[in-house]
Amino acid sequence: DKQYNLNRRDQEANAFYHSSRWTRTRDYVKQRDYMTDSVDGRVLNDHDYIVDHVIPRRLSADPYNVNNLWLLSRRHHNIKTRYEEQMSDDKLKHMTRNDWRNLIMKSGDTNG
């Protein structure tokens, strides 16, 4: 994660994800979702989760909107990211939690 932050993430995103407002929002989502993966319901530990934007942060009108955030395992987040990289912004803006859940489960690479 540190290497990703240093080498791949743009500075605006890096500042966002290190802000105190994001930390509070992230912690709220962790509690709201009972530390369970939103795809398969598996209980996650403190090193195996990502609070993820359903609609990517860069396309969201309010990146702190908790209705656009969910908890994913790192594995599921990585699968979702691979799909996102192949989709147009228009498609990404219309993806729902259920759309993502179905796509991630269909990938066949969902187990820890």
Side-chain angles (χ1 to χ4, degrees):
D1 290 335
K2 288 181 184 178
Q3 287 303 312
Y4 177 82
N5 288 341
L6 290 173
N7 300 318
R8 292 189 57 206
R9 183 179 278 167
D10 65 78
Q11 292 306 306
E12 180 182 334
N14 201 36
F16 173 84
Y17 288 114
H18 286 92
S19 71
S20 59
R21 184 172 179 193
W22 171 252
T23 300
R24 287 190 307 274
T25 303
R26 179 199 66 205
D27 291 347
Y28 168 79
V29 172
K30 283 173 39 179
Q31 290 177 0
R32 180 198 68 191
D33 293 359
Y34 298 103
M35 283 299 289
T36 59
D37 183 275
S38 295
V39 172
D40 64 13
R42 185 171 52 94
V43 176
L44 304 170
N45 65 48
D46 266 347
H47 303 291
D48 187 35
Y49 79 89
I50 303 278
V51 174
D52 178 65
H53 289 87
V54 177
I55 296 171
R57 178 189 56 81
R58 66 184 174 76
L59 301 174
S60 175
D62 178 6
Y64 298 101
N65 179 353
V66 295
N67 296 318
N68 185 44
L69 297 170
W70 62 342
L71 202 65
L72 295 178
S73 68
R74 289 186 183 281
R75 178 177 299 268
H76 289 162
H77 180 264
N78 291 340
I79 292 167
K80 180 178 178 275
T81 299
R82 285 195 303 266
Y83 281 118
E84 285 176 332
E85 290 170 349
Q86 299 170 21
M87 291 181 183
S88 69
D89 286 356
D90 188 54
K91 175 77 173 169
L92 287 169
K93 288 180 192 177
H94 294 93
M95 291 292 287
T96 66
R97 290 172 192 242
N98 282 335
D99 293 335
W100 281 119
R101 197 173 286 117
N102 292 335
L103 195 56
I104 292 167
M105 293 300 285
K106 189 173 102 175
S107 78
D109 186 22
T110 60
N111 297 322

